[in-house]
Amino acid sequence: MQELIGILEAVITGRGTPWVKAEDFKRCTEQFAKRRRLNVDDAVLRQMVEKKQIVYCDGHFTLPRIALAENIIANNVVRILSVLPQYVAESVIQKRIDEYEQKNGIKLDPMQRAAVVIAVKNNFCIITGGPGTGKTSVIKAITYVLKDLFPGKTIGFAAPTGKAAKRINESTGEEARTFNSMLCIGVDTYSPTTISYDTMFGDEFSMCDLFLSGALFASVQTGHRLVISGDVDQLASVGPGCVLNDLIESGVVPTVMLTKTFRQDNSSVLFENIQRIRTGRHDLLEGPDFRLIRADGADPMRQLMECYKETVCEAGGVYQTGCLIPFRRQGTLCTNAFNNAAQTRFNRSAGIVLGGMTYKVNSPVIQLVNRNEVSNGEIGRVAAAEKGTVTVRYGSTEVAYTESDAYQISLAYAISIHKSQGSEYPAALVAITREHRSMLNRNILYTGITRAKKKAVLFYDPEALEQAVTTDGGKTRLSMLARKLAYATEKYQLIKKSA
């Protein structure tokens, strides 16, 4: 029944979970059948499984394309790992690391050095860790060592979003592209081109869903190298899956977990609270670099606006402050409502209305989609607003918007926590209240707080904070990928032994 397939599709899309528990799916189908006065029982579902309209495994249902995507990932991960790169003695690698440190005036810690060694000795590895743990330093060191050991071999860099790709370029000096651009795939297109690079780096991999991950892994040539990095505690991908987490949990892919932070002092309250949030604790501390402000409930928007004003003054300006809220449109405390109120209060100049939103000169603006001149997620400043056109300056680039493309931008006094992923601010003001409860989990709070480089301010009510830290967003996604990775690896090893 096509309607039942649509129900399963809606649950998977809404929750981001690749698989749905049988009892949950049956409950949804029973509600649908009751409204339509239909008889939907186990026999109907078995028939759908037999016809390959849906897939059943160990008390869970999914769609054929989800199961296929997991299979593609598992098979290609094993394929990439099946060939070892050219042997290089560890002593040689360590010597190259020493040279890198001397030339760049830095000192890698033991785990960072271990990550470089593992990347050189394997054709697939994962570098994971929280923000500020030196993942970028490791990538730069690996790049140096590979270029020195294998001159003439090509190296490529990519990330899920244009904004993340731009950050790779800024932090490493290497050109980077989005995965979609590199693979020549579009929305719902699953025919990637082969990657020609001998070594491929993929950053911010926690943002990659099943389909993008499958396309990437399938495109890596046998005998070529893939290094992916990301933070498993950040927000999961928008699309279905928790690929980075599954890859690590499977134990199949060589992985280095970086734990020492270089962004904050390990003795800072901000660092301590980040660790508490990661482990599900809500007894957060206050200190010089972490402030807790409890919402009084009477007028949270007014109270948050006062917090924002103080934070901006302390940080040195709007562009040094990230005000991060879970919702963009929903509820009274969302980014759209906050942005309109903030612009009215802090920018008294005249403006024009474009796409239903007022823009004034010097107001901050965020780009919401990729375009040739600017990447999705970049923050700019309104340079001009007149005659039906808003001109926004992003660094040295100016982009003019009219009514036809006004949907591409929004005010950015505050942005959603999802949009902040991959960004850093000297100061971050994170707001979570009970009206955000449908989206609150540990991952979204962790992502918001870890955007802060120097200071974080948490505007909260106790109920919202407790829900956020005690709800592991990643655990709500049910996956078979780790199991399939283990099975594919075991099958490959058996075939290898019998050959």
Side-chain angles (χ1 to χ4, degrees):
M1 296 174 66
Q2 201 62 38
E3 292 91 344
L4 299 187
I5 297 173
I7 291 172
L8 185 56
E9 174 86 51
V11 175
I12 289 171
T13 303
R15 299 180 187 176
T17 180
W19 292 77
V20 180
K21 287 182 179 179
E23 56 264 34
D24 288 347
F25 181 45
K26 288 177 182 178
R27 192 180 305 114
C28 294
T29 59
E30 286 168 1
Q31 293 170 354
F32 167 78
K34 187 176 181 180
R35 290 196 303 270
R36 295 290 187 91
R37 297 181 180 179
L38 298 173
N39 181 29
V40 178
D41 54 17
D42 288 350
V44 172
L45 297 179
R46 279 196 300 270
Q47 188 179 44
M48 293 178 69
V49 172
E50 290 169 1
K51 291 181 177 180
K52 296 183 171 27
Q53 294 174 310
I54 58 176
V55 180
Y56 176 82
C57 179
D58 196 20
H60 296 77
F61 287 100
T62 192
L63 298 168
R65 64 188 180 90
I66 299 289
L68 175 62
E70 288 186 334
N71 295 343
I72 288 172
I73 291 173
N75 291 333
N76 281 287
V77 166
V78 173
R79 175 184 60 81
I80 296 168
L81 284 168
S82 67
V83 179
L84 289 174
Q86 179 181 330
Y87 174 78
V88 181
E90 183 170 339
S91 59
V92 174
I93 301 172
Q94 294 289 0
K95 184 178 179 181
R96 298 301 190 280
I97 297 173
D98 291 340
E99 291 173 359
Y100 171 77
E101 290 179 331
Q102 291 170 5
K103 288 184 178 181
N104 292 275
I106 64 170
K107 188 74 174 174
L108 299 183
D109 80 348
M111 288 307 296
Q112 289 178 310
R113 294 180 75 98
V116 178
V117 173
I118 286 175
V120 175
K121 284 185 166 292
N122 294 275
N123 269 341
F124 189 10
C125 75
I126 299 170
I127 300 163
T128 185
T133 53
K135 295 188 294 294
T136 300
S137 296
V138 170
I139 291 170
K140 291 167 71 174
I142 295 169
T143 303
Y144 173 87
V145 172
L146 289 176
K147 285 181 176 180
D148 189 74
L149 290 173
F150 308 109
K153 295 289 187 178
T154 57
I155 301 177
F157 298 81
T161 66
K163 180 181 178 182
K166 185 176 181 181
R167 282 198 60 205
I168 293 175
N169 174 252
E170 292 170 347
S171 59
T172 68
E174 305 284 352
E175 287 297 321
R177 298 161 64 186
T178 65
F179 289 125
N180 289 62
S181 172
M182 182 168 288
L183 300 171
C184 299
I185 58 176
V187 179
D188 298 325
T189 302
Y190 200 76
S191 300
T193 58
T194 300
I195 292 176
S196 61
Y197 295 108
D198 297 291
T199 295
M200 182 71 206
F201 287 94
D203 196 18
E204 296 286 358
F205 210 80
S206 64
M207 300 170 70
C208 293
D209 64 15
L210 283 171
F211 303 112
L212 184 56
S213 300
L216 173 65
F217 298 156
S219 70
V220 176
Q221 298 181 55
T222 303
H224 288 200
R225 194 189 318 265
L226 177 62
V227 180
I228 62 174
S229 57
D231 183 354
V232 291
D233 292 312
Q234 285 195 31
L235 285 165
S237 57
V238 175
C242 42
V243 179
L244 181 61
N245 185 71
D246 287 339
L247 290 170
I248 295 171
E249 286 198 354
S250 72
V252 169
V253 184
T255 300
V256 176
M257 172 77 75
L258 303 175
T259 56
K260 182 179 179 180
T261 182
F262 301 94
R263 182 183 295 178
Q264 301 100 13
D265 188 319
N266 279 20
S267 64
S268 80
V269 175
L270 173 56
F271 177 78
E272 172 63 24
N273 282 340
I274 288 171
Q275 305 315 308
R276 292 190 178 204
I277 291 168
R278 285 184 69 247
T279 55
R281 293 175 59 178
H282 56 83
D283 55 333
L284 304 184
L285 306 173
E286 283 203 87
D289 58 357
F290 199 100
R291 188 179 175 197
L292 290 164
I293 300 176
R294 183 167 175 169
D296 59 20
D299 189 351
M301 179 65 81
R302 178 199 59 76
Q303 191 181 4
L304 179 60
M305 195 66 69
E306 290 303 318
C307 295
Y308 178 74
K309 180 181 177 181
E310 292 175 16
T311 307
V312 167
C313 290
E314 291 175 4
V318 169
Y319 296 92
Q320 285 69 49
T321 306
C323 181
L324 313 176
I325 303 173
F327 292 160
R328 184 182 168 202
R329 297 187 182 94
Q330 185 179 338
T332 57
L333 202 63
C334 62
T335 62
N336 280 1
F338 183 89
N339 282 326
N340 289 331
Q343 182 173 241
T344 299
R345 177 166 178 178
F346 302 121
N347 190 339
R348 301 303 175 88
S349 62
I352 67 168
V353 176
L354 207 67
M357 184 171 285
T358 301
Y359 294 94
K360 301 178 180 180
V361 172
N362 291 324
S363 286
V365 167
I366 183 171
Q367 176 74 22
L368 300 175
V369 298
N370 286 324
R371 60 184 287 165
N372 291 334
E373 309 96 316
V374 61
S375 298
N376 180 4
E378 286 197 54
I379 304 293
R381 183 196 304 265
V382 177
E386 56 186 2
K387 297 180 181 178
T389 301
V390 171
T391 303
V392 181
R393 182 176 295 118
Y394 303 91
S396 59
T397 302
E398 286 195 353
V399 181
Y401 302 87
T402 59
E403 192 67 35
S404 63
D405 51 10
Y407 70 92
Q408 296 185 2
I409 57 172
S410 179
L411 289 172
Y413 291 93
I415 63 173
S416 71
I417 295 177
H418 277 84
K419 278 293 183 186
S420 76
Q421 197 163 2
S423 299
E424 296 176 349
Y425 305 93
L429 167 60
V430 180
I432 55 168
T433 65
R434 278 168 289 183
E435 75 169 64
H436 305 129
R437 57 185 173 272
S438 65
M439 194 178 282
L440 291 180
N441 57 51
R442 192 181 307 159
N443 308 73
I444 199 164
L445 177 59
Y446 173 88
T447 300
I449 294 298
T450 54
R451 299 311 90 204
K453 295 177 68 175
K454 296 180 179 178
K455 183 175 183 178
V457 180
L458 179 61
F459 178 82
Y460 75 105
D461 64 47
E463 184 179 322
L465 176 58
E466 183 172 1
Q467 179 186 334
V469 298
T470 57
T471 304
D472 187 345
K475 297 299 183 186
T476 62
R477 298 196 172 196
L478 306 175
S479 169
M480 300 288 179
L481 179 56
R483 184 189 303 185
K484 290 181 178 181
L485 283 161
Y487 173 77
T489 301
E490 183 181 357
K491 184 178 178 181
Y492 167 75
Q493 288 171 346
L494 288 172
I495 293 172
K496 189 178 179 181
K497 285 180 181 179
S498 62

